[in-house]
Amino acid sequence: MSQAEQKKFDLLITGVGGQGAILASDIIGKAAVTAGLSIRAAETHGMAQRGGSVVNHIRIGQAYGSMIPKKGADIMLALEPMEAVRYLDFLKDGGVIIVNTQPVVPVTVTSGQAKYPEVSDILNSLSEKYIVKAFNADELAFEAGSRLSMNVVMVGAVSGYLPIPKETLLESIKALVPQKTIEVNLRAFEAGRQKVEES
């Protein structure tokens, strides 16, 4: 078995526009390339404007296609609880979901046309079939120095599962985030990684 075949790994990143799902996948993608892994990525979203649904497919060591097939993802990184539910079809049975418990309430809810489910109900339902690691990444980002680093908290949270060395991910963060936010983002990464290691 070649090294590339051993490192097959499919990751789905879901969130809403404005949460930084695209930067999160860029960090992982750049790190995979630096680590010498073959990577295919695809980004699909209705409208990536603030509040619209965003989903990124990241396939490491995969020769065929950039879109993860249904029931193909090893892990889902959900930056928002309802987005985890929306794309569940892509996660393999018994797969891992790392979910930020901070909801982004859509306009349909704020205008009274729809109701947002209790986050605890969402998590209980997910836990029936999947391994769920859930925590409030927005709070960890705030503690690290900026709520805007929530996406990097989530990269840290998934980092232990990726076939990519931690140091390579950190280098990728330094290369892609604005210079003045590097320290905050490195703290955010560590906070997310630690949270999942503890759980």
Side-chain angles (χ1 to χ4, degrees), residues 68-74 88-93 129-130:
I68 299 170
K70 296 277 168 87
K71 296 232 176 271
D74 299 291
L88 265 186
D89 290 0
F90 286 100
L91 190 62
K92 70 181 185 189
D93 293 339
K129 282 178 70 176
Y130 307 98

Side-chain angles (χ1 to χ4, degrees), residues 150-168:
M150 178 276 287
N151 52 348
V152 180
V153 169
M154 294 300 279
V155 172
V158 77
S159 63
Y161 293 94
L162 300 173
I164 301 170
K166 176 184 167 184
E167 288 63 38
T168 311

Side-chain angles (χ1 to χ4, degrees), residues 102-164:
Q102 179 68 49
V104 175
V105 179
V107 174
T108 50
V109 172
T110 50
S111 65
Q113 297 167 2
K115 188 178 181 314
Y116 195 98
E118 288 293 328
V119 173
S120 56
D121 293 344
I122 295 172
L123 298 177
N124 289 339
S125 152
L126 295 175
S127 301
E128 287 169 17
K129 282 178 70 176
Y130 307 98
I131 298 160
V132 177
K133 308 277 185 181
F135 57 91
N136 190 320
D138 285 51
E139 282 177 7
L140 289 181
F142 180 70
E143 287 163 17
S146 168
R147 283 192 191 280
L148 295 175
S149 65
M150 178 276 287
N151 52 348
V152 180
V153 169
M154 294 300 279
V155 172
V158 77
S159 63
Y161 293 94
L162 300 173
I164 301 170

Side-chain angles (χ1 to χ4, degrees), residues 13-34:
I13 301 180
T14 67
V16 297
Q19 283 193 302
I22 293 163
L23 177 60
S25 46
D26 287 349
I27 289 168
I28 294 166
K30 182 177 174 54
V33 170
T34 305

